Every structure is written in structure tokens, then in C-alpha cells.
Amino acid sequence: MLNKTKLNGFIPPKIVATTLLWAGLSAGVSAHDAEHHNEVTRLISAGAGMTELVIALDAGDELVAVDSTSQLPETFSSVEKLGYHRMLSAEGILALEPDLVLGSDAMGPETTLEVLEGADIKVVKLAGAETAEQLLSNINRLGELLDRQKQAETLKFRVAQSFDSIKQKRVSITGSDKVPSILFMLLQDDRPVRVGGEGTAADTIIKLAGGKNIADFVGYKSLSQEGVLALQPDLILISSRSESEEQSAPDKVLKQMPLLIHTPAGEHKMIHSLKAQALLGGLGLSSLEAADKLASSLIEIQKY
């Protein structure tokens, strides 16, 4: 879960200089390149955000397995699927004979990782990114580990541009008289709707985009249909654990919770799906994409 204090300390002032930051990191990694040449031919990636970065660095051909939260293009059908990234099995991983297991600091359990290291398998955990600096640093590190330094340079530039694009939109949104209010709802089968408050990954995306999270509590809480109606959000973000459910979720939610049509979000059809990958592993490519799209929607709302 992302830390609010760190978030408040980073978003407005530090994103301003992401392009300069990228340039500085680029200089650092260039000096490092000559010292780090690793040959990885059998890679396991655990964590949706981590796997996104591996694919973006053009290292997908080395993947032999990913965890259950990772989403892969159809062309990667031969890649094995492991369990949840926090509950990996040493036996299943050892059978695949990887030379590198990558994951976020949430990867585990530690007993599994200790078994892997005892078998001379390299295990690397990178901190979940809560800042632009950490995300760019993670890309640097992955570029070195996977011998994809040139691809890392290109990706860092793209990420820095994304931060700058979001910042420009955020300045436009927060500089107006009304900052749109947003409600995030997590939908899970056989469980009540849960709303994301402060400190959640959804809260990070909302604030990065320049919106106001209307849920004024910490963490997740269940909320009734009447409770959502009382909040009158301008936009509702929804997410689930299933890709197929995400695609149909807005219509599904309105059928299940018809009172939402009486909110500004329902009236203006501002009920949007959020990919599950955007909520896993801290700031990453999916969460940046989500924040950028959300910022564009908030600018549209301000025209009403």
C-alpha cells in the first residue's frame, strides 16, 4: 500500500523535474554499463508492475514464468503461470530452472526465496515505486540486470514524458474553482463493494491526476448504494480482479446499483474501469496510463 506522507511529499514538486531527473539518471547508468553485463536466459517475473517493465524493456523472450497477477500478450502463451506473488512455491520455481527471479518487495514468502537462493538462483526484489525517482531507478536496475540498457534509456524518457504530461493536466485541474470529486470502488465476487480511501493505490492515481478522493478515510471500507449516492461523486472509478469483468463493469455496476444514475457520475456517464494492474506494485506503466486518462476526464468534467 502506498504511503500518504511520501505521496504528499513527492507529487507536485518532484514531478516538475522528471525530465531533468531522467537525464541525471541516464548519465549515471551510462557510467555503470561497462561494469554490468548479465546474461539472463530463463527469467521469472513476479508482480504485475514488474512484468510490465520486463515486457517494455523487450526482455519478454527470456520469461519462463510469471505470477498470477501478471498480464501477458497472447503471443506469450508458452510462459508458465505461477501462484500469487506473495505466496510463491519454491518447488514450482525450481522445476523451471530459472537463472533470475524478479519481483517487488512484496514478493514472497521469505522461506521460498531462501530456498531459491540456497539453490544458487539469483533473486532480486525491487522497491515498489512510490515516487518518480524510484520508478526511474527501478527501470535503471532492470536494464542492468537484463542487459537492456538502451531499452531502459528509451523507457525512462517515455516515463518522464508521461509524468510531465500528467503534471500539465493536473495544474489545469487544480487551478480551477472546482476540483472534481472521485470515488473508487473495488468489486469482488461474493463480497460487498469496497471503497478506496487515503493510502490506497487508487488514491495515489486520483491525486496524481489532480482529482479529489471523496472517500475521507484511510484504507478500504464497505459502502452501501445509499452511501455512495450521498457522496455525489463527479466520477466513479471501478476495478475488479478479472479482465473480462473490467470490460463490462460500468454497465454491470449501474444494473446492480441503479441509484448511482442519480449521482453526477451516473448522469454524465463518468463511470470508468481501472485495470487491476494499475493497482498492484506501486507506480508503474499502467498506473501512469490510468492517471493520464483520468486527468483528461477531469478536464472534461470541468466543462459542465
Side-chain angles (χ1 to χ4, degrees):
M1 186 173 292
L2 296 171
N3 182 283
K4 181 188 173 189
T5 303
K6 290 182 179 179
L7 177 68
N8 287 342
F10 117 78
I11 288 180
K14 293 184 179 178
I15 287 178
V16 174
T18 46
T19 302
L20 292 175
L21 172 65
W22 165 81
L25 287 171
S26 298
V29 78
S30 296
H32 228 45
D33 285 350
E35 302 173 8
H36 292 79
H37 288 287
N38 304 282
E39 185 174 351
V40 176
T41 58
R42 295 185 65 79
L43 169 65
I44 289 178
S45 175
M50 189 66 63
T51 303
E52 278 186 341
L53 293 177
V54 169
I55 299 295
L57 290 172
D58 197 25
D61 289 346
E62 278 76 29
L63 283 172
V64 294
V66 296
D67 77 308
S68 61
T69 69
S70 297
Q71 300 292 328
L72 292 173
E74 292 182 358
T75 51
F76 290 84
S77 59
S78 63
V79 175
E80 298 281 344
K81 274 278 187 175
L82 303 174
Y84 190 51
H85 65 135
R86 294 178 184 272
M87 302 174 65
L88 296 173
S89 161
E91 184 179 7
I93 293 176
L94 287 171
L96 292 169
E97 300 181 338
D99 42 38
L100 176 61
V101 177
L102 277 175
S104 71
D105 47 13
M107 179 173 65
E110 285 301 321
T111 51
T112 290
L113 305 185
E114 289 170 2
V115 170
L116 298 178
E117 290 173 331
D120 289 331
I121 294 173
K122 188 172 185 178
V123 177
V124 176
K125 295 170 70 173
L126 299 181
E130 298 182 17
T131 65
E133 291 94 331
Q134 185 63 60
L135 178 55
L136 293 169
S137 176
N138 284 351
I139 294 171
N140 262 348
R141 179 71 174 133
L142 285 174
E144 295 168 0
L145 287 167
L146 303 174
D147 199 17
R148 297 294 197 282
Q149 290 90 345
K150 288 183 179 178
Q151 291 90 337
E153 292 301 296
T154 301
L155 182 58
K156 282 187 297 179
F157 184 70
R158 199 180 100 201
V159 167
Q161 285 186 315
S162 294
F163 274 114
D164 287 339
S165 170
I166 295 168
K167 173 187 171 288
Q168 290 175 16
K169 294 177 183 178
R170 186 175 62 248
V171 168
S172 171
I173 295 163
T174 57
S176 67
D177 293 336
K178 180 191 175 187
V179 176
S181 60
I182 302 168
L183 186 73
F184 171 74
M185 300 194 308
L186 181 62
L187 312 176
Q188 293 176 283
D189 290 339
D190 303 323
R191 296 188 65 175
V193 170
R194 291 196 297 160
V195 170
E198 295 181 8
T200 63
D203 184 62
T204 298
I205 293 172
I206 290 169
K207 290 175 179 174
L208 181 59
K212 174 188 175 185
N213 189 354
I214 204 168
D216 60 351
F217 50 78
V218 177
Y220 284 96
K221 286 186 178 180
S222 298
L223 202 61
S224 67
Q225 190 174 169
E226 290 76 12
V228 174
L229 178 64
L231 290 174
Q232 290 289 296
D234 294 306
L235 186 148
I236 297 174
L237 284 175
I238 53 178
S239 187
S240 69
R241 299 296 186 192
S242 165
E243 281 292 314
S244 58
E245 284 189 25
E246 285 174 4
Q247 292 171 3
S248 59
D251 291 338
K252 182 179 176 182
V253 168
L254 281 176
K255 286 182 180 177
Q256 292 181 340
M257 305 177 74
L259 286 181
L260 297 189
I261 198 66
H262 301 296
T263 65
E267 179 183 353
H268 298 293
K269 302 187 185 304
M270 283 291 176
I271 300 178
H272 295 174
S273 294
L274 191 60
K275 290 181 180 178
Q277 300 99 296
L279 302 172
L280 297 168
L283 283 175
L285 303 184
S286 285
S287 53
L288 286 181
E289 179 184 9
D292 191 62
K293 287 182 178 178
L294 177 58
S296 295
S297 296
L298 297 183
I299 290 173
E300 286 300 310
I301 288 173
Q302 289 183 316
K303 294 177 182 177
Y304 298 157

